[in-house]
Amino acid sequence: MLRVLPAVVLMLAVGLAAVDAQWRWRSHGKPKWNVKIKSAMAVMGDGKLFGVGGNNRLYERVWTGSSWTWTDHGKPSYNIFNPTNFQEEPCVLADGKLFATTLQGDLYERHWTGSQWAFGSHSNPGTDIEGCSAVRGSTDMVFLRGFDGTLRERFWNGNAWAWRNHGRPAPGVDAFGTTSSYAISGPTTRVFVPGRNGHLYRFTLDAANQGSWQDLQAPPGKSVRKVHATASGGIFAITDDGDVCRRSGTWTCYGKPDNKHVWDCSDPILLDSQYITLYTLFCVHTGSYQELYQLTVYPGGSDWVNRGKPSGTNTFVDRPTVMFSGPYSRVFVPANDGKVYELYPPGQP
């Protein structure tokens, strides 16, 4: 999904050179008048996004074929003595299957049975967990960070779900923040996670389930705070001083947009065709007045472009995510008014 079709490449390339006024924002509103979306919207194929509301329930924004609508997926338990309250951006394994962590430190699955949506409990591996990323490779895998500083994996062994503990990135170094993972040929799975020492670490798991850690260090003079990686889009990190940097053998940093400290970004996207090869991602910065910026990396240079903000909002509450729908691309981001907003480039409906 993250290797973009030529038609999309050309549309986005045109957008890269377009003035800010040519990009458009539209509001998707809130699930209910009194429910605000508090997490980024995880993309599930064409026309499906999932996010968490301020009431800790799971919500879907879905295209029905003629219009957008909100669907309330609720939460697995409403027992006041044993609640399940979702806390952060879900991670999508495949169309019809996603995972989400709770404030209680457990993992839950939401899947389509063929006739209806259902919840499944995966509990936890003996430590609270958060920050999931999911991979469908030779098997189904979900990676999370344990509160004990380890990398944990929930995987399908062919008969049942099981847990694996991949330990800490290095002796005395705890994993920190959200994981980012993808599958490459082999099959090999790569998982990226920052360490509390400010370095970026890569965990590689081969087809025989043999794993190894590698210290990818950090950009000179900086500490890695967040990471987003895709098989085609590469490895991008946000540093403690608000820079965005890319790891490709060595580190290259692209500075701050208009000297504003970057807070978080979308997953990186490769725009690849016979005409042009670009890497791009969308980022939000810190401050009381936030705008959305697009970073594009191309052979020999890079550019930041200010894509503005929705009218009537001042800040965003989580990172942007990107959906590709047919020949079109769309950016979704939740704002401080509790609504989800869509940004789309020129030429798109």
Side-chain angles (χ1 to χ4, degrees):
M1 182 179 73
L2 293 176
R3 180 177 290 272
V4 185
L5 298 174
V8 179
V9 174
L10 292 178
M11 286 182 181
L12 284 177
V14 169
L16 296 177
V19 297
D20 294 343
Q22 291 181 285
W23 288 67
R24 296 287 185 268
W25 287 96
R26 67 164 61 101
S27 173
H28 284 256
K30 300 183 287 189
K32 298 178 181 178
W33 69 270
N34 60 343
V35 176
K36 296 182 176 182
I37 292 295
K38 70 174 184 179
S39 81
M41 299 295 290
V43 177
M44 180 186 284
D46 285 359
K48 301 187 194 77
L49 303 107
F50 290 82
V52 176
N55 56 0
N56 303 316
R57 296 163 68 100
L58 181 68
Y59 289 93
E60 178 186 3
R61 184 67 170 165
V62 59
W63 176 253
T64 65
S66 58
S67 64
W68 287 95
T69 187
W70 285 100
T71 299
D72 182 355
H73 285 257
K75 51 187 181 179
S77 171
Y78 297 89
N79 188 326
I80 60 173
F81 300 106
N82 185 28
T84 52
N85 297 312
F86 293 116
Q87 67 164 332
E88 60 184 352
E89 176 186 353
C91 55
V92 173
L93 178 68
D95 192 23
K97 187 184 287 283
L98 62 86
F99 292 81
T101 59
T102 67
L103 291 167
Q104 293 72 37
D106 294 325
L107 179 68
Y108 280 85
E109 171 188 338
R110 186 68 168 166
H111 64 274
W112 179 252
T113 66
S115 59
Q116 63 182 3
W117 286 98
F119 280 113
S121 173
H122 292 262
S123 189
N124 66 57
T127 180
D128 290 354
I129 46 178
E130 66 180 6
C132 74
S133 60
V135 176
R136 171 157 280 181
S138 57
T139 186
D140 290 347
M141 296 172 281
V142 183
F143 294 93
L144 307 105
R145 178 184 61 82
F147 278 27
D148 60 356
T150 60
L151 177 68
R152 301 295 180 129
E153 177 191 354
R154 186 68 166 165
F155 71 100
W156 179 255
N157 64 18
N159 298 300
W161 286 97
W163 287 102
R164 271 195 285 251
N165 182 358
H166 297 297
R168 291 175 172 82
V173 178
D174 285 356
F176 175 73
T178 299
T179 64
S180 186
S181 56
Y182 60 78
I184 59 176
S185 59
T188 297
T189 301
R190 288 180 173 169
V191 188
F192 300 86
V193 64
R196 285 204 176 271
N197 60 353
H199 289 195
L200 178 64
Y201 289 88
R202 180 176 68 199
F203 181 76
T204 301
L205 189 67
D206 64 20
N209 297 318
Q210 298 299 307
S212 61
W213 285 99
Q214 182 180 359
D215 185 353
L216 301 181
Q217 303 292 313
K222 301 178 184 294
S223 294
V224 172
R225 187 170 52 84
K226 293 189 177 184
V227 60
H228 298 293
T230 61
S232 58
I235 308 159
F236 284 80
I238 298 101
T239 62
D240 60 341
D241 60 351
D243 276 7
V244 177
C245 305
R246 180 172 178 244
R247 172 76 183 191
S248 181
T250 59
W251 285 101
T252 302
C253 293
Y254 305 103
K256 305 173 182 67
D258 296 332
N259 292 316
K260 300 171 184 175
H261 289 233
V262 171
W263 163 44
D264 208 351
C265 298
S266 69
D267 291 342
I269 304 156
L270 171 64
L271 309 179
D272 189 18
S273 77
Q274 60 180 320
Y275 306 104
I276 193 168
T277 299
L278 307 168
Y279 298 94
T280 193
L281 63 167
F282 295 84
C283 303
V284 292
H285 60 85
T286 59
S288 58
Y289 183 91
Q290 297 172 353
E291 295 171 301
L292 188 72
Y293 282 82
Q294 182 180 4
L295 170 64
T296 302
V297 178
Y298 49 85
S302 63
D303 283 312
W304 285 100
V305 177
N306 186 347
R307 298 301 180 196
K309 70 177 189 68
S311 176
T313 65
N314 292 322
T315 59
F316 301 110
V317 298
D318 209 335
R319 73 185 187 114
T321 52
V322 182
M323 172 190 287
F324 296 105
S325 181
Y328 303 118
S329 59
R330 309 175 190 278
V331 183
F332 293 84
V333 61
N336 65 308
D337 60 1
K339 298 177 181 178
V340 173
Y341 289 89
E342 174 190 344
L343 174 69
Y344 55 100
Q348 296 197 16

